[in-house]
Amino acid sequence: MAQLNVNGSVREFEAEDDTPLLWVLREQLGMTGTKYGCGVAQCGACTVHIDGEATRSCVMPVSALNAKQKIVTIEGLSKDGSHPVQKAWAALDVPQCGFCQSGMIMAAAALLKHKPKATDADIDAAMTNICRCGTYNRVRAAIKVVARGADPKSAGLAITHVGDHAGSKA
């Protein structure tokens, strides 16, 4: 049997060499937080960390991995949702439907691990995940809260709606 180190545990699995990591994680190891979105590494719903790097698992064949590499899924990011990115996501109500959010969180966590004081340019370069609900402003705000080391509960979003101009007539 082949083995993978997932969330700190070496796990055995059986799969064809070209089976994407995503399907081994979901179907054999029960890690269903990692989502299938597009299957061509474009949307990022399947993002996991492999040795600390954000990786799209839908195109990563299991044969390219070994048990020495450390794979972290959304389930392994923190046991209780206490990772700073998860806390910021919750405090700023980032998700709408939530489908893409585990991949977004994993991409953001990898970004902030490598660049703790991420700039807008860093966020633009790293956050290529797609959100059909369009929560990009909230994603950016949550990343900035963590990058500033701010308390997510005290962070607010300054959202101006069209027509909300001072002195405008309703």
Side-chain angles (χ1 to χ4, degrees), residues 1-3 11-17 19 24 28-29 62:
M1 280 208 158
Q3 296 180 330
R11 308 280 303 269
E12 292 186 342
F13 69 95
E14 282 189 53
E16 298 293 324
D17 286 349
T19 302
V24 170
Q28 293 192 36
L29 304 183
V62 292

Side-chain angles (χ1 to χ4, degrees), residues 36-132:
Y36 173 80
C38 66
V40 293
Q42 295 298 304
C43 74
C46 66
T47 302
V48 299
H49 296 172
I50 299 177
D51 292 333
E53 297 295 323
T55 305
R56 308 279 167 100
S57 65
C58 70
V59 295
M60 175 62 65
V62 292
S63 61
L65 301 165
N66 63 62
K68 291 181 182 174
Q69 292 175 287
K70 294 179 180 166
I71 300 165
V72 178
T73 67
I74 189 72
E75 292 92 346
L77 193 60
S78 74
K79 299 289 182 208
D80 58 0
S82 62
H83 188 280
V85 173
Q86 291 171 306
K87 289 168 63 175
W89 242 248
L92 274 66
D93 293 323
V94 173
Q96 284 187 27
C97 83
F99 189 84
C100 69
Q101 295 304 308
S102 61
M104 288 272 198
I105 288 169
M106 296 303 287
L111 164 64
L112 291 165
K113 181 178 180 184
H114 296 297
K115 296 188 177 187
K117 301 296 181 191
T119 65
D120 281 328
D122 296 329
I123 295 168
D124 291 344
M127 298 303 297
T128 59
N129 299 45
I130 296 171
C131 174
R132 293 192 65 164

